[in-house]
Amino acid sequence: MRKILLILVASLAILVAPAAGQAATKVTYKSTGEQQVLTLLNQIRQQNGLSNLAFSAPLRNAARAHSADMLQRKFFDHDSPTETWDARIARYLKAPLTGENIAWGSGSMGSPASIVSQWMHSPPHRAIILTPGLHRVGLGLASGTFNGTPGAVLATADFAA
């Protein structure tokens, strides 16, 4: 099993590396924005009689990795071209219940308030935020050029019981 995992990790590193002569997409993480999203999510949960989400470093690492991967490989989906979202989260944290929300935008549409608003106006994303059994969250807000849009923010929220 260990060899399989090492081969998978090495394969992923090769897939993410830019082709010769091609510049890598610069990724900047927005830690202040991540904290603002957490604050907004907890306000919403409190308004709905739910406990606050606790910050999780392993989930943040999973979320940041996914946001950066989407930015660098130019895709927007829960599943990467090589891995499902739940398998990715499981590499960082084992939990009986997990969930994920993603969003992207630029300018005011990439702000923490807009990202949370997008999620709350989408029934499946809203359901994840308001799931009582989810108690931990990690947020990854990555900024760079996406689909030709400079300053785009790709956001991933990974939740776990």
Side-chain angles (χ1 to χ4, degrees), residues 30-44:
K30 300 190 157 289
S31 56
T32 301
E34 292 167 356
Q35 183 57 50
Q36 290 171 344
V37 170
L38 177 59
T39 298
L40 292 168
L41 292 176
N42 281 333
Q43 288 173 355
I44 290 165

Side-chain angles (χ1 to χ4, degrees), residues 4-160:
I4 294 170
L5 181 60
L6 291 175
I7 291 169
L8 177 62
V9 170
S11 298
L12 287 175
I14 291 167
L15 289 172
V16 174
Q22 184 181 28
T25 301
K26 183 177 190 262
V27 176
T28 304
Y29 294 108
K30 300 190 157 289
S31 56
T32 301
E34 292 167 356
Q35 183 57 50
Q36 290 171 344
V37 170
L38 177 59
T39 298
L40 292 168
L41 292 176
N42 281 333
Q43 288 173 355
I44 290 165
R45 286 177 62 92
Q46 288 169 9
Q47 292 165 0
N48 287 274
L50 298 170
S51 63
N52 281 349
L53 294 164
F55 166 79
S56 166
L59 288 171
R60 180 199 56 209
N61 293 341
R64 281 185 170 184
H66 188 58
S67 291
D69 190 28
M70 288 191 294
L71 192 59
Q72 292 172 330
R73 291 203 278 174
K74 300 173 181 25
F75 71 94
F76 183 73
D77 199 331
H78 292 281
D79 297 338
S80 79
T82 55
E83 186 175 42
T84 63
W85 70 270
D86 50 343
R88 175 180 34 82
I89 292 173
R91 284 193 292 116
Y92 292 87
L93 181 87
K94 304 292 184 223
L97 178 65
T98 58
E100 177 173 272
N101 286 348
I102 60 173
W104 87 273
S106 63
S108 64
M109 294 302 291
S111 71
S114 179
I115 289 165
V116 173
S117 177
Q118 290 174 55
W119 289 337
M120 291 306 291
H121 285 93
S122 163
H125 295 93
R126 178 184 178 88
I128 291 170
I129 293 167
L130 298 178
T131 298
L134 295 173
H135 302 290
R136 297 176 284 175
V137 68
L139 299 153
L141 272 64
S143 180
T145 299
F146 184 70
N147 283 349
T149 304
V153 175
L154 280 88
T156 302
D158 286 332
F159 301 84

